[in-house]
Amino acid sequence: MSQLDELRKVTVVVADTGDIEAMKLYKPEDATTNPSLILSASALPQYAPLIEDAVTYAKAQSNDKVQQLVDAEDKLAVNIGLEILKLVPGRISTEVDARFSYDTEKTIAKARKLIALYNAAGISNDRILIKIASTWQGIRAAEVLEKEGINCNLTLLFSQAQARACAEAGVYLISPFVGRILDWYKANEGKEYAPAEDPGVISVTNIYNYYKQYGYKTVVMGASFRNVGEIVELAGCDRLTIAPPLLKALQESNETLVRKLEYSGEVKARPAPMTEAEFYWEHNQDPMAVEKLAEGIRKFAIDQEKLEAMLSAKL
């Protein structure tokens, strides 16, 4: 059996891509997208009809150019999600505009709109995750949405404070970023890390054990991998979302894979929920998390704007 086959025995494998061909090849359970992946996918020739459909839809909704652009980008994200849902048996994660990361009400409104577009296409809520940045405002939005039956994937997660607040808010799933944590430490510490000592691997391992220790149901899905070693060290994590090049490497490897994450201890009484002040204080104690969260939001916003420029030209 390949390492990928071995991994599937202990972890749900998710594709971190918008590439339809990769989905067909690696047959993941779920798939995740973000503004950067949507931007990349929109350059693929097979997606041209989806873009045209989004533009046609937007023009039919309104004569207002600003509103047309908003409607077109929402419809395109959902159109790509619908294509992916034809290939995966599980869920698609579709991301809210990163520029709403510090606005609870706008995040809630955008999530409801995306869900409505999926529902109108015949897709039920249990096949969708709404991706939201793990800011305090994003976590509060997710808390409201979860109570409405809209499951959320809290992304750009780098600190234990973010992870704890997400669990306490009852979010469905979190995406702690392994590779971006490693990037920061390599740049700031000037050294290389073996997979078992990788700061991103250690962070996700700690979050996984914390959730199991206190009986939180929130799913831990490691994301943003830089190498196969990181994935191997997190075998047993609830889910792992993996880009096609690393799925290929796992598929082509026959090395033994051993389960690393499995909690067998007792479940303890949970601590009192964090206050907003506690969240900011604890998150602020981790300079890596502060920098990478802000940087991640900025980068997603830049790619959202590039996507808008492409759609504006077509509108």
Side-chain angles (χ1 to χ4, degrees), residues 11-29:
T11 291
V12 174
V13 173
V14 179
D16 195 9
T17 182
D19 185 347
I20 294 292
E21 296 310 312
M23 308 281 177
K24 293 177 180 175
L25 192 59
Y26 300 111
K27 298 179 172 54
E29 180 73 20

Side-chain angles (χ1 to χ4, degrees), residues 130-144:
I130 297 297
K131 277 180 88 174
I132 299 169
S134 302
T135 57
W136 179 259
Q137 293 80 3
I139 295 166
R140 298 282 67 81
E143 186 173 36
V144 172

Side-chain angles (χ1 to χ4, degrees), residues 245-297:
L246 293 176
L247 287 171
K248 183 174 187 285
L250 288 164
Q251 184 74 65
E252 293 174 352
S253 172
N254 294 316
E255 288 187 37
T256 305
L257 184 135
V258 178
R259 180 169 189 160
K260 298 292 179 80
L261 299 192
E262 190 167 21
Y263 186 75
S264 56
E266 62 174 325
V267 177
K268 300 178 182 178
R270 295 175 184 174
M274 301 174 86
T275 64
E276 183 175 1
E278 286 171 335
F279 171 83
Y280 278 116
W281 181 254
E282 290 189 27
H283 180 70
N284 195 56
Q285 297 309 297
D286 188 340
M288 172 278 297
V290 173
E291 288 182 30
K292 297 308 284 186
L293 173 60
E295 176 190 75
I297 290 170

Side-chain angles (χ1 to χ4, degrees), residues 18-63:
D19 185 347
I20 294 292
E21 296 310 312
M23 308 281 177
K24 293 177 180 175
L25 192 59
Y26 300 111
K27 298 179 172 54
E29 180 73 20
D30 297 349
T32 58
T33 61
N34 60 45
S36 304
L37 293 175
I38 295 287
L39 182 65
S40 299
S42 64
L44 300 172
Q46 61 264 46
Y47 281 138
L50 305 185
I51 295 170
E52 294 307 319
D53 177 75
V55 168
T56 301
Y57 167 85
K59 287 179 175 176
Q61 303 308 305
S62 155
N63 290 321

Side-chain angles (χ1 to χ4, degrees), residues 64-270:
D64 180 271
K65 290 295 182 186
V66 174
Q67 188 59 45
Q68 283 183 355
L69 183 57
V70 172
D71 289 337
E73 57 190 334
D74 291 343
K75 189 69 164 70
L76 177 58
V78 170
N79 280 354
I80 290 176
L82 293 171
E83 287 301 304
I84 292 170
L85 283 173
K86 294 175 184 175
L87 300 169
V88 299
R91 295 178 182 249
I92 181 68
S93 287
T94 297
E95 191 147 348
V96 166
D97 192 324
R99 293 167 295 189
F100 298 164
S101 296
Y102 299 101
D103 191 320
T104 298
E105 293 308 317
K106 283 187 177 179
T107 296
I108 292 170
K110 180 67 78 175
R112 288 171 178 160
K113 183 181 177 187
L114 292 169
I115 283 286
L117 287 169
Y118 274 114
N119 292 163
I123 303 298
S124 55
N125 288 19
D126 62 356
R127 298 205 65 201
I128 307 154
L129 291 176
I130 297 297
K131 277 180 88 174
I132 299 169
S134 302
T135 57
W136 179 259
Q137 293 80 3
I139 295 166
R140 298 282 67 81
E143 186 173 36
V144 172
L145 293 165
E146 291 285 354
K147 289 172 182 172
E148 295 178 4
I150 298 173
N151 293 148
C152 299
N153 169 352
L154 273 286
T155 188
L156 293 173
L157 193 145
F158 301 98
S159 71
Q160 298 295 312
Q162 289 174 294
R164 182 180 159 190
C166 285
E168 290 171 355
V171 307
Y172 181 85
L173 178 147
I174 61 166
S175 295
F177 277 29
V178 181
R180 294 196 198 186
I181 293 176
L182 175 64
D183 294 345
W184 190 92
Y185 277 93
K186 285 172 70 173
N188 285 270
E189 303 290 339
K191 59 186 257 191
E192 296 296 320
Y193 294 86
E197 299 162 352
D198 184 311
V201 169
I202 292 169
S203 176
V204 175
T205 300
N206 289 341
I207 291 167
Y208 175 89
N209 288 329
Y210 181 86
Y211 278 18
K212 306 310 174 194
Q213 183 179 15
Y214 290 107
Y216 289 113
K217 300 301 182 190
T218 299
V219 174
V220 180
M221 182 172 75
S224 161
F225 294 104
R226 296 293 178 259
N227 54 67
V228 168
E230 291 177 323
I231 297 166
V232 170
E233 286 298 323
L234 291 173
C237 193
D238 301 329
R239 302 185 192 189
L240 297 173
T241 182
I242 306 169
L246 293 176
L247 287 171
K248 183 174 187 285
L250 288 164
Q251 184 74 65
E252 293 174 352
S253 172
N254 294 316
E255 288 187 37
T256 305
L257 184 135
V258 178
R259 180 169 189 160
K260 298 292 179 80
L261 299 192
E262 190 167 21
Y263 186 75
S264 56
E266 62 174 325
V267 177
K268 300 178 182 178
R270 295 175 184 174

